[in-house]
Every structure is written in structure tokens, then in C-alpha cells.
Amino acid sequence: MNLKIESHLSPAKINLFLHVLRRRADGYHELQTLFQLLDYGDELTFETDSNGTLELHQESADKIRTLPYSQNLIIKAARLLRQESGDPKLGVKIYLNKRIPAGAGLGGGSSNAATTLKTLNKLWDCDLPMEELKTLALKLGADVPFFLEGKSAWGEGLGEKLQPVELEKNWFAVITPNCSVSTSHIFSNENLTRNTQAIKMADFLAGGAKNDCEPVTRALYPEVDEAFCWLEGHADTRMTGTGSSVFAKFQKREQAEGVLEMLPNHMRGFVAEGINSLSV
């Protein structure tokens, strides 16, 4: 196999709303959500080899918490795809420029896993069809199929039942306090609302949607509550997913940047444009 090198954006996402409909018998939750892709994220560079080596090199200008190597979804995705291919000699060196904070509800790990599956499927000449890749993706996490398809989407089930949508162009100010939120901690909390009625897109557009995980998260994590209250003083604010990040929507980039310029020093944030699909 000839040496191949490719670099790709591994985008962040926000959940424009998140409803918890019910808890299933297996302990997981039926959800409704609207995934919005952002033109901001990590950068992954892949350099293939034929020695069976799987290496991950990570760098970051920010102090971002990292998982142990064995738990990293990038390595898990590469191993899963190689196992599916049946060729133990497939190898790759992966260089990750990390910008998406962990535990922030921005999908960084899931996005990295999806980018790895999609890119190595091509570079390793596995040529698995999308439906097979989505089956592998779901083994890595409920959000991974969304990033694999690379389109803003209405999500149901565990978040894996996806319907691509065309959303109006907006800019988002995204703020992440200095804490990491545990998804399992939120979904196991006895105070989490688990009986929200299902809605349709028209209901969302009419303002009939929220994040059911927000009250519990704000109560358990004072840093999230502080960030939410600060941003709410400047614009209508939502929390994304079950993470620590909060966001506000603006029609113009300058408006979002103006808010971010006032951000307290102990908080971090970025401005990104919402996109409907990821250009390949």
C-alpha cells in the first residue's frame, strides 16, 4: 500500500434542542433533537503505513482534558474498521489538532471517530458502503452516525435515526466553562424530565422546544449555570446536549463576536457559522 496523507476538519455540533421522551427497558433514553453542524472543530491528519501500526499524536494550544490512549474514540474507530477489513497490516499515524473541549456537549470525540472511519475507509481501500459504516459508527456512540453523514439533521431514537434538514444561516457564540459534564451522570439523575411529548419541526420553529437536560446540569454544575446566566444577559441562551457548553444564535457574525469580546477571562468561547453539510 502506497503512503497516503489526508487532512480533514472534524466539526463540532450543537443541539438546538434536546427532548427526553422516555427511558427504555434497556436503560437508554428515547430522544428528539436537532443537530446543527458548525464550521469549527478539530483537525485530523492521517498518514497510512502497511506495518499495522496505530499511532495517535495530539496537540492543543488550550488545556483540554484528554482520554487515555486505549479509550480514545479515534483509536477505537481505527481498530474497529481494521477488524472489519480483516487485514491486520493496515496501519496509520494520526495527528490531532484539538480545539473542541471534552465533556462540552459539542461532539468532539464522536466527530473524531466519524472522521476516522470515513477517512480510513477510503485510505485503506476498505470501500465499505455507508450503511455498513453507520453500523460500525453506532458501536462507537449514538452521535457518531450523525457526524458520519456530515449533515445537520433532525435526530430521534438514541439520536441515530436521522433526517437531514436545511437550516437558515446563523452565527453562534459558544461558551464553555472550565468543567466537564458526565453524560451518564445527567441521564441517571432522578430529577431529569423523561416524559416530554414528541414534537415536529413546525413546533421547533414556533419556539416550542427546549433542552430537558439543562435544569439538572445547571443544578449539578455551578460553572455551567454561571456561563448560562452570563450569556443570557446578552441573548437568548441554550445549553447544547448534555455538556457544559452554552450558546446563543445571531444573524450576523459581528453580533456574535461582539458578545464574545466581553467574555470573562475565566471562560472560553468561539464564534462559528452553522452549516448544513460538511464539504468533502
Side-chain angles (χ1 to χ4, degrees), residues 8 14 116 162 195 244:
H8 295 280
I14 52 177
T116 300
L162 301 166
N195 59 355
S244 60

Side-chain angles (χ1 to χ4, degrees), residues 13 29 32 42 88 95 99 138 153 156 168 177 211 216:
K13 62 82 180 168
H29 290 79
Q32 272 193 323
D42 301 334
Y95 301 89
R99 296 202 294 169
L138 193 55
E156 296 186 340
E168 62 181 8
N211 186 333
V216 170

Side-chain angles (χ1 to χ4, degrees), residues 4 7 13 18-19 22 25 33 41 74 83 86 98 109 124 126 137 144 147 156 166 191 193 197 209 223 227 248 268:
K4 301 176 183 177
S7 294
K13 62 82 180 168
L18 178 60
H19 288 174
R22 67 182 181 91
T33 190
I74 294 173
Q83 180 181 350
K98 190 70 179 167
W124 281 348
C126 298
V144 182
F147 285 107
E156 296 186 340
E166 291 287 322
N191 295 319
T193 297
Q197 294 298 308
E223 300 95 334
R268 53 183 164 163

Side-chain angles (χ1 to χ4, degrees), residues 107-123:
S110 296
S111 180
N112 291 168
T115 302
T116 300
L117 282 178
K118 188 183 300 184
T119 304
L120 291 183
N121 186 49
K122 173 186 174 184
L123 296 183

Side-chain angles (χ1 to χ4, degrees), residues 89-277:
K89 292 184 179 180
L90 293 174
V92 65
K93 294 178 182 177
I94 304 173
Y95 301 89
L96 170 63
N97 183 359
K98 190 70 179 167
R99 296 202 294 169
I100 303 174
L106 299 171
S110 296
S111 180
N112 291 168
T115 302
T116 300
L117 282 178
K118 188 183 300 184
T119 304
L120 291 183
N121 186 49
K122 173 186 174 184
L123 296 183
W124 281 348
D125 297 319
C126 298
D127 298 325
L128 296 182
M130 177 59 76
E131 287 306 310
E132 290 188 32
L133 281 181
K134 286 167 65 176
T135 300
L136 295 181
L138 193 55
K139 294 179 180 180
L140 295 166
D143 287 352
V144 182
F146 159 70
F147 285 107
L148 191 66
E149 293 199 353
K151 296 178 181 179
S152 290
W154 184 273
E156 296 186 340
L158 301 178
E160 86 288 2
K161 298 177 182 177
L162 301 166
Q163 180 64 45
V165 296
E166 291 287 322
L167 299 170
E168 62 181 8
K169 181 176 178 178
N170 283 298
W171 292 86
F172 297 90
V174 182
I175 294 174
T176 305
N178 188 25
C179 70
S180 177
V181 173
S182 166
T183 297
S184 61
H185 195 189
I186 301 303
F187 276 115
S188 63
N189 191 278
E190 62 181 7
N191 295 319
L192 177 66
T193 297
R194 296 182 172 89
N195 59 355
T196 298
Q197 294 298 308
I199 67 171
K200 298 184 181 299
M201 176 64 84
D203 300 311
F204 165 76
L205 294 175
K210 59 188 184 303
N211 186 333
D212 285 334
C213 299
E214 178 197 306
V216 170
T217 305
R218 293 176 65 183
L220 293 176
Y221 296 87
E223 300 95 334
V224 177
D225 184 63
E226 180 191 9
F228 191 101
C229 290
W230 183 88
L231 187 56
E232 195 173 36
H234 301 277
D236 182 42
T237 299
R238 293 282 174 90
M239 192 185 82
T240 175
T242 57
S244 60
S245 291
V246 298
F247 67 89
K249 180 176 68 175
F250 301 89
Q251 292 185 335
K252 297 181 179 180
R253 179 173 187 163
E254 293 78 12
Q255 295 171 316
E257 290 177 338
V259 169
L260 213 62
E261 287 174 358
M262 297 181 284
L263 190 65
N265 291 334
H266 65 285
M267 297 181 192
R268 53 183 164 163
F270 62 86
V271 169
E273 183 180 7
I275 55 176
N276 285 316
S277 61

